[in-house]
Amino acid sequence: MSSPPVAPRPAYRRLSVEERHGQLIATAQRLFASHPPEDVSLDDVARAAGVSRPLVYRYFPGGKQQLYEAALGSAARDLELCFAVPEEGPLSERLARALDRYLAFVDSHGEGFTALLKGGSVVETARTSAIVDSVRRAAAQQVLVHMRVAAPGPDLHMALRTWITAVEAASLIWLDENKQRPASELRDWLVEHFVAVLMVTAGRDAQTAATLRAAAALEPAGGRVDTMVERTLAAMGPEAAD
Amino acid sequence: MSSPPVAPRPAYRRLSVEERHGQLIATAQRLFASHPPEDVSLDDVARAAGVSRPLVYRYFPGGKQQLYEAALGSAARDLELCFAVPEEGPLSERLARALDRYLAFVDSHGEGFTALLKGGSVVETARTSAIVDSVRRAAAQQVLVHMRVAAPGPDLHMALRTWITAVEAASLIWLDENKQRPASELRDWLVEHFVAVLMVTAGRDAQTAATLRAAAALEPAGGRVDTMVERTLAAMGPEAAD
């Protein structure tokens, strides 16, 4: 990195150990969010935090890799908070709210998000993969809480996990396209993607069918799901070709 | 690895340079298919191929990493061949055939497939990620050929790429579950997953809608797609709860 992305702090501020630790992680997070990990050095972090390089090493003896993992762990906790939306209203609206927050996170952590999920990154290890996987599990768990499913069977589990992977892939494509489509459009499509995958799964699995019928009962007439079904039928109908 | 997975060849056989190269790659592929990459050593490959370690190094001066990448490149070409099914009959049946071959590949390359796609593997680099990504692109391209789409717009492209990611995720879950469900069941669900995602995309995108209507015209009455729609409607209907 040629220049620091934020102006160096004018003077060294005395912070408590906890505060300094948090400040270094927050600084690292900001840098990793906007630059690929290989372009961020420990010197960059020290400079942006307004401290010396030895001080950074005192907090993170494992150097850049340790700092990266700490920043990732902190981002993972932020991300998990995205999924905690109030348990009220139609499920499709709750999912849309969680996706809004998730896409805002993706938007602001673009570079780091891409490097992490694309694979082959210099900082990727079994530990970073485990952190990412724990976020996926938390996301799946949160969806199950909203659907009031305590023990998902293999079909519902697979539908949910593959949808979460599809959300990640869609986010990467969105970033790759320089976010040309509005986040709200992507969000709406991802909600419909979820409903569609659950619907075909419901055709094969009683638990998914029961869960989906319960969810359907919460959807208002003319709401997201109704609109989706109408639009899809209209697009597929013979008269649509005219 | 404590013991060689195949008996050592009794005697050194003289092969041409091309043959030896191919033999070493095939041997490496077999070992990487059944063991995580960190458990396969160059000695294992030499022993299984019935040659000396220096001979392996003569062909692969970059050692294990180079051999791994060569084995992966070769597996990638095999995998791309899976997708080339005849351009005749309903599209859902063609997709089912390609998925049959793909799942057979996953079945026989379990360990290597998992290590590669799970991320954080010791042998994962930007180069291995690029090879995996080229397979994904080839898969997407092959689907587009069958759908007779020369230039996919962003919506169709995103639907297709996210589905391919979902196929990978489902395969990993399948392996993780020790392949408890029959491959044919997973295949049928993945075909329906594809149709469902394209259907909701069709509700938002004219190109996807036109492509899907053309595909629907090739589906026989009572075929896969009809059955899927009927089963889904039955599962979602109010009487299904009884």
Side-chain angles (χ1 to χ4, degrees), chain B residues 137-157:
Chain B
R137 270 198 304 278
Q141 187 49 41
Q142 200 56 40
V143 173
L144 290 170
V145 164
H146 282 275
M147 298 200 304
R148 301 193 185 282
V149 174
D155 289 351
L156 183 52
H157 175 256

Side-chain angles (χ1 to χ4, degrees), chain B residues 34-62:
Chain B
S34 49
H35 301 84
E38 58 272 24
D39 290 355
V40 178
S41 72
L42 221 65
D43 278 331
D44 292 324
V45 177
R47 204 179 304 121
V51 302
S52 69
R53 183 185 164 90
L55 185 89
V56 180
Y57 266 113
R58 209 181 309 150
Y59 281 83
F60 298 95

